[in-house]
């Protein structure tokens, strides 16, 4: 897993006056699973299309490791790509579609037939092989799309929002498939949901407005963004309300969200915060319902970065 597969340096795409991707740099290790995370319009699709060789960068470099031929044209055979809105010929059966895709990728007739069966099994569609795609569920279509991305045995698959359009069952099917594939093939997939990334990935690249806002291993990022938090809930009353609104001014509170019956406080010194606030609550007879210490999550960081 220490072997680098792909390195992106200052990748930039300008389209007229729009800059969907602005000086992006990151690396992918062989066998890793990385989430390209970001809200709508962050530049995920534009990035993946450049990596797939479907869109030329305005600036920057995409450097694939030299284990085979180095240039992008040769690299196309080593990459599988699932577009955000895949189009299928509904009248074809699953197996016909895979055979067709395999031959388009340059596989011989015999190899295409063998490999189509293999990938159908891999994605759990062997029972539906001969059914028309128009009758497939959303989850089945997406799994067929992943089978298509895998048919020519690529080293890297680029999946553009593979689960975003699916219902919970379809989502589960595709997430389970991705979990089964990880390790054997390097995966870069885009999503706007942090939870998807946390469920199956080791690494993430968070994009906002064409730039990287955060990147690295999820474990490291969780550590980096851990902050002590106090959750307080009180009864409704004037005294309680006044006290809640006075909370923002303490030097041990770094950030506060105050509601009508509670507060969520990011604190710099948990022990002091606890001592001072518990004493105040006791002395002024505040009707306390909940007083809980916790830590902020990656979700907090994600919401902060995305909304700023
Ligand atoms: N061909 C184009 N012409 C003009 N603007 C474009 C073009 N392609 C992309 N953009 C703009 O670039 C930005 C990034 O688009 P992109 O599709 O890469 O984002 P995304 O992260 O995939 O979004 P989503 O989550 O909605 O799929 C958007 O603001 C989009 O409107
Ligand atoms: Mg997109």
């Amino acid at each position: 897993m220490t072997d680098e597969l792909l390195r992106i340096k200052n990748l930039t795409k300008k389209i007229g006056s729009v800059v969907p991707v602005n000086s992006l740099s990151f690396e992918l290790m062989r066998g890793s699973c990385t989430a390209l995370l970001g809200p709508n319009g962050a530049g995920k699709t534009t990035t993946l299309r450049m990596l797939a060789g479907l869109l030329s960068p305005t600036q920057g470099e995409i450097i694939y490791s030299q284990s085979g031929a180095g240039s992008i044209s040769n690299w196309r055979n080593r990459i599988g790509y699932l577009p955000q809105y895949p189009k299928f010929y509904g009248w074809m059966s699953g197996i016909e579609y895979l055979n067709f895709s395999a031959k388009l990728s340059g596989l011989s007739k015999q190899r295409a037939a063998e490999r189509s069966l293999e990938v159908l099994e891999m994605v759990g569609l062997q029972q539906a092989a001969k059914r028309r795609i128009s009758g497939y569920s959303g989850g089945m279509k997406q799994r067929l799309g992943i089978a298509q991305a895998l048919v020519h045995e690529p080293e890297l698959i680029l999946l553009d929002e593979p689960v975003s359009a699916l219902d919970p069952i379809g989502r589960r099917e595709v997430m389970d498939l991705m979990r089964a594939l990880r390790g054997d093939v390097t995966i870069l997939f885009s999503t706007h949901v942090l939870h998807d990334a946390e469920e199956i990935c080791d690494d993430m690249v968070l994009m906002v407005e064409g730039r990287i806002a955060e990147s690295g291993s999820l474990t490291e990022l969780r550590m980096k963004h851990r902050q002590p938090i106090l959750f307080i809930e009180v009864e409704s009353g004037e005294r309680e309300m006044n006290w809640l609104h006075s909370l923002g001014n303490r030097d041990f509170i770094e950030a506060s969200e105050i509601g009508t019956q509670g507060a969520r406080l990011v604190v710099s010194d948990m022990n002091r915060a606890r001592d001072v606030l518990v004493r105040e609550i006791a002395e002024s007879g505040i009707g306390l319902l909940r007083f809980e210490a916790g830590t902020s999550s990656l979700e907090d960081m994600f919401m902060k970065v995305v909304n700023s």
Side-chain angles (χ1 to χ4, degrees), residues 83-138:
Q84 186 165 3
Y85 306 107
K87 292 192 181 63
F88 299 103
Y89 301 107
W91 47 268
M92 277 190 181
S93 69
I95 191 77
E96 282 168 347
Y97 173 72
L98 286 176
N99 243 309
F100 167 76
S101 308
K103 285 189 226 148
L104 273 185
S105 308
L107 268 61
S108 70
K109 201 173 160 195
Q110 194 195 341
R111 184 70 193 128
E114 285 168 8
R115 187 64 189 157
S116 298
L117 284 173
E118 263 173 43
V119 288
L120 260 181
E121 197 165 323
M122 232 186 254
V123 303
L125 285 176
Q126 59 277 46
Q127 305 293 336
K130 293 189 177 152
R131 278 167 49 193
R132 282 176 181 227
I133 300 169
S134 55
Y136 281 20
S137 69

Side-chain angles (χ1 to χ4, degrees), residues 15 18 20 39-46 84 161:
I15 304 171
V18 186
N40 290 134
K44 304 180 296 294
T45 297
T46 311
Q84 186 165 3
E161 307 231 11

Side-chain angles (χ1 to χ4, degrees), residues 70-85:
S71 80
I72 183 81
S73 59
N74 295 321
W75 252 93
R76 287 228 181 132
N77 297 333
R78 293 162 71 186
I79 297 171
Y81 172 63
L82 174 69
Q84 186 165 3
Y85 306 107

Side-chain angles (χ1 to χ4, degrees), residues 38-290:
N40 290 134
K44 304 180 296 294
T45 297
T46 311
T47 303
L48 292 176
R49 284 175 54 83
M50 286 193 279
L51 296 184
L54 298 170
L55 195 65
S56 58
T58 310
Q59 264 164 39
E61 285 177 279
I62 302 171
I63 307 156
Y64 288 100
S65 75
Q66 296 293 318
S67 59
S71 80
I72 183 81
S73 59
N74 295 321
W75 252 93
R76 287 228 181 132
N77 297 333
R78 293 162 71 186
I79 297 171
Y81 172 63
L82 174 69
Q84 186 165 3
Y85 306 107
K87 292 192 181 63
F88 299 103
Y89 301 107
W91 47 268
M92 277 190 181
S93 69
I95 191 77
E96 282 168 347
Y97 173 72
L98 286 176
N99 243 309
F100 167 76
S101 308
K103 285 189 226 148
L104 273 185
S105 308
L107 268 61
S108 70
K109 201 173 160 195
Q110 194 195 341
R111 184 70 193 128
E114 285 168 8
R115 187 64 189 157
S116 298
L117 284 173
E118 263 173 43
V119 288
L120 260 181
E121 197 165 323
M122 232 186 254
V123 303
L125 285 176
Q126 59 277 46
Q127 305 293 336
K130 293 189 177 152
R131 278 167 49 193
R132 282 176 181 227
I133 300 169
S134 55
Y136 281 20
S137 69
M140 289 165 81
K141 282 187 185 150
Q142 214 59 335
R143 282 186 286 146
L144 183 65
I146 295 177
Q148 163 277 127
L150 288 167
V151 79
H152 55 294
E153 296 183 78
E155 285 173 68
L156 168 66
I157 51 173
L158 307 167
L159 309 176
D160 199 355
E161 307 231 11
V163 296
S164 298
L166 300 179
D167 66 18
I169 295 171
R171 181 182 173 281
R172 176 61 31 228
E173 289 170 0
V174 172
M175 291 298 272
D176 287 347
L177 169 62
M178 286 166 66
R179 190 177 295 111
L181 291 172
R182 52 170 284 176
D184 292 336
V185 58
T186 309
I187 303 177
L188 177 65
F189 83 101
S190 68
T191 174
H192 53 261
V193 182
L194 174 66
H195 185 68
D196 293 345
E198 293 196 285
E199 208 177 315
I200 52 168
C201 282
D202 326 294
D203 301 291
M204 72 159 194
V205 175
L206 171 58
M207 279 185 84
V208 179
E209 294 177 1
R211 291 180 184 275
I212 293 187
E214 270 293 353
S215 71
S217 91
L218 280 161
T219 320
E220 276 168 25
L221 291 172
R222 270 191 210 103
M223 294 295 286
K224 183 176 159 195
H225 292 283
R226 266 171 84 94
Q227 273 188 303
I229 300 234
L230 261 183
F231 301 93
I232 299 175
E233 258 175 58
V234 291
E235 287 172 352
S236 55
E238 206 182 323
R239 187 188 311 162
E240 282 77 7
M241 181 80 111
N242 290 340
W243 180 72
L244 283 178
H245 283 283
S246 74
L247 286 174
N249 315 328
R250 321 299 165 95
D251 61 353
F252 51 79
I253 295 178
E254 290 192 353
S256 60
E257 285 164 37
I258 314 279
T260 50
Q261 272 189 269
R264 182 181 176 283
L265 311 171
V266 178
V267 300
S268 53
D269 182 342
M270 180 58 90
N271 289 335
R272 237 185 96 222
R274 211 162 19 198
D275 289 350
V276 172
L277 298 180
V278 168
R279 189 163 6 95
E280 283 183 19
I281 289 167
E283 284 171 0
S284 51
I286 303 279
L288 184 66
L289 296 173
R290 176 180 175 217

